[in-house]
Amino acid sequence: PASNSCGPRPPLVSLPCKQPRMAIAAAWRPIGRPLPGELGDFAETVGEVLETEALVLEASVLPVDTRPSPTELRALRGKVRKLTEDAQLRRELALQCVETMGSAATELPPVTLAAFIDAATVKQLCSPGCLKDDLSLGRDAGSLRRGWTLFGGLALSAVAPLAEPLAGVQQRDAVLRLLRNIGRVVDATWLAFSIPALDALAHHMMQLDAFLHRRRIAEKEHREVARWKAQEQLEVSAQRERARLRAKGFDTGKELRPAHLERRVHWSEYRDAERARRTLQRRAAHDQQCQRRRRAASCAT
């Protein structure tokens, strides 16, 4: 809230794994009045999607004895899917709302958002010409855009305790000194900015697109892991079958005679022996193909 100089610390800040930190690298939280109407509904749904995603990621890195049950994890993932569908629907409604408003959309009052800013961006804010006398941005800095205005509160509560406009020239030097200290001692911090409503809407849309991209990558990796596990289990099963046939006196590396002439295996196991031999042949052909590709790649480089 705007009356709280620091506010509740988002739970994502203390996560030890890389993926949640990627998720919060562009985290934005509204302070005070949110976006109006359909725009605010969309922004709120995107925030819920990211928070639930963070809970799932946090649960995946917890120790086994403190990790939620599989049922609870499935419920969280189901909630993420439902919120994602809602966010995609609300995005279309928000775009229709902006189109209906026309030029009046550019006159919407600015909104105040808390942004989780990394140390590199904080240092850019301290560079000459980045912050004007009125503490608005003179140029882009990281995920921050030109024309946004830095507010007090949060990490700047030592200078201005409330998330409100700063006193410009009178507080600029104190703000820059504090930002330099912050950039030296922390990896990231929360700062408040006043930004145009359409910029806030565009940022939430980019957050949703980034989340969808992360989800597609995760699903692709999950499919790859499942495929490799299936191949590994198939190989274990094939090795076990070949060992069983060898114990009965049949070498799967040798050709099979026609079924009515083959005497090395019982007729009831003829198809098992044929399957084991073909699996071995396919594996040898695959290994040869991989070797040819590696040699071709080495020659090309």
Side-chain angles (χ1 to χ4, degrees), residues 114-162:
F116 193 72
I117 306 300
D118 58 82
T121 304
V122 173
K123 292 177 182 178
Q124 289 184 45
L125 291 176
C126 302
S127 61
C130 189
L131 283 178
K132 298 181 179 179
D133 292 340
D134 60 353
L135 294 176
S136 64
L137 271 70
R139 63 171 182 267
D140 293 350
S143 60
L144 309 177
R145 294 292 171 260
R146 182 174 180 270
W148 295 4
T149 303
L150 181 64
F151 272 21
L154 303 179
L156 301 181
S157 58
V159 175
L162 301 180

Side-chain angles (χ1 to χ4, degrees), residues 2 4 15 96 125-126 133 143 180 208 227 244 281:
N4 190 341
L15 290 181
Q96 292 176 9
L125 291 176
C126 302
D133 292 340
S143 60
R180 292 190 188 98
L208 179 60
R227 184 173 68 87
R244 186 182 69 83
Q281 289 177 340

